Amino acid sequence: MRLLVFNVRITFSSFLSLSLSLFLFCLVCFARVAAQTARLPVFLLPYFPVPLVNNTPARAERIQITGTVNMEKVKRHLCSCGADYIIPKICEFPESCATAELAAERLSCSPSMIAKSLSFTLMGKKRGVDCIPIVILVSGDAKVNNNKYRNKFVRRPVLIRREEVEELVGFAPGGVCPFGVNENVRVYLDISLRRFETVHVAAGTANSTAPMSIKELERFSGFVEWVDVCDGWTE
């Protein structure tokens, strides 16, 4: 009888240990998948930072370089703002510069001087309901801090799905810029850009950039306000 009880206890203990191990394994797998899609539950955000860019340089190199229409849209916007003098300064490359690292390599400058555009959505209770797309321009070496973002926008950061970026924002991934975006898009500038006099901004395509002073960026981007939602950068 004692032997039977002992065996039952061992079996129950093994079952409990196995169940706990499976639970932890499933939790880690869920967190990794959720982090990749920027859909972590709020209570897990401090422990699993949301990656901001889903494109590695190798993948960005494969982005199809198109967008003559988008380039013209940028030029029309600049002309309408009295910034036509910037158009001759636009740099077009034969290869992609869709990430801060690639753009910095093409321009022979620091990645921190690249103003990368991050596309988020401020959603209502359901996806597609009261959906407000926003674009935040941040320094190339900065990363969005979940808590700072949540404090500012009262919700967790949710990146716009890659296949929806052009429809919601007006530009395809790799070429998103604040010039000529869709009318309902709100543009914000992160303070990580303020440490530079001049930064390089995408010009509507995955292989173009335009140098612009911070004052010009403020004047021609139609931004709402400066925000502080990033960390990982230094003065």
Side-chain angles (χ1 to χ4, degrees):
M1 184 66 179
R2 290 182 179 179
L3 181 60
L4 178 61
V5 172
F6 180 71
N7 288 336
V8 170
R9 287 179 178 175
I10 292 179
T11 302
F12 178 75
S13 176
S14 300
F15 173 76
L16 186 61
S17 177
L18 179 61
S19 299
L20 181 59
S21 299
L22 287 174
F23 172 76
L24 292 175
F25 175 76
C26 292
L27 180 61
V28 171
C29 290
F30 165 76
R32 288 181 177 178
V33 172
Q36 290 298 322
T37 57
R39 288 173 176 79
L40 274 177
V42 173
F43 72 91
L44 286 177
L45 284 174
Y47 308 102
F48 296 92
V50 176
L52 298 179
V53 180
N54 197 27
N55 295 327
T56 61
R59 181 178 178 182
E61 288 281 10
R62 297 194 296 270
I63 293 177
Q64 185 177 7
I65 300 175
T66 58
T68 302
V69 174
N70 286 341
M71 173 70 76
E72 291 303 316
K73 184 163 58 174
V74 170
K75 292 179 179 179
R76 286 197 301 271
H77 175 85
L78 293 175
C79 287
S80 68
C81 297
D84 51 302
Y85 66 91
I86 293 178
I87 295 176
K89 300 179 183 179
I90 294 177
C91 299
E92 293 188 74
F93 303 96
E95 298 174 311
S96 171
C97 56
T99 67
E101 291 75 17
L102 285 174
E105 182 181 341
R106 308 285 184 250
L107 295 165
S108 299
C109 69
S110 168
S112 59
M113 296 182 67
I114 306 300
K116 60 184 179 183
S117 302
L118 305 177
S119 305
F120 296 92
T121 178
L122 304 179
M123 297 188 303
K125 294 182 179 180
K126 296 181 180 179
R127 188 172 185 83
V129 178
D130 298 325
C131 175
I132 303 173
I134 67 172
V135 172
I136 306 178
L137 270 69
V138 309
S139 179
D141 62 345
K143 296 182 179 180
V144 167
N145 178 287
N146 293 318
N147 291 326
K148 285 185 175 182
Y149 184 101
R150 191 168 55 221
N151 289 338
K152 173 60 185 176
F153 297 106
V154 199
R155 63 199 70 199
R156 63 187 175 87
V158 178
L159 286 167
I160 297 178
R161 292 176 180 173
R162 182 178 181 80
E163 61 271 19
E164 297 177 347
V165 171
E166 187 166 15
E167 177 186 355
L168 294 178
V169 177
F171 294 98
V176 175
C177 66
F179 315 116
V181 293
N182 294 340
E183 291 185 2
N184 64 327
V185 177
R186 299 177 184 176
V187 176
Y188 296 88
L189 305 179
D190 185 75
I191 62 171
S192 57
L193 295 170
R194 280 182 172 171
R195 53 190 160 146
F196 303 107
E197 292 184 3
T198 300
V199 294
H200 300 274
V201 190
T205 66
N207 67 320
S208 63
T209 63
M212 194 166 290
S213 70
I214 295 301
K215 289 185 177 180
E216 289 172 332
L217 190 58
E218 288 179 323
R219 181 179 176 185
F220 305 130
S221 66
F223 80 114
V224 177
E225 62 179 322
W226 284 95
V227 295
D228 179 11
V229 296
C230 290
D231 56 19
W233 59 278
T234 56
E235 292 286 352

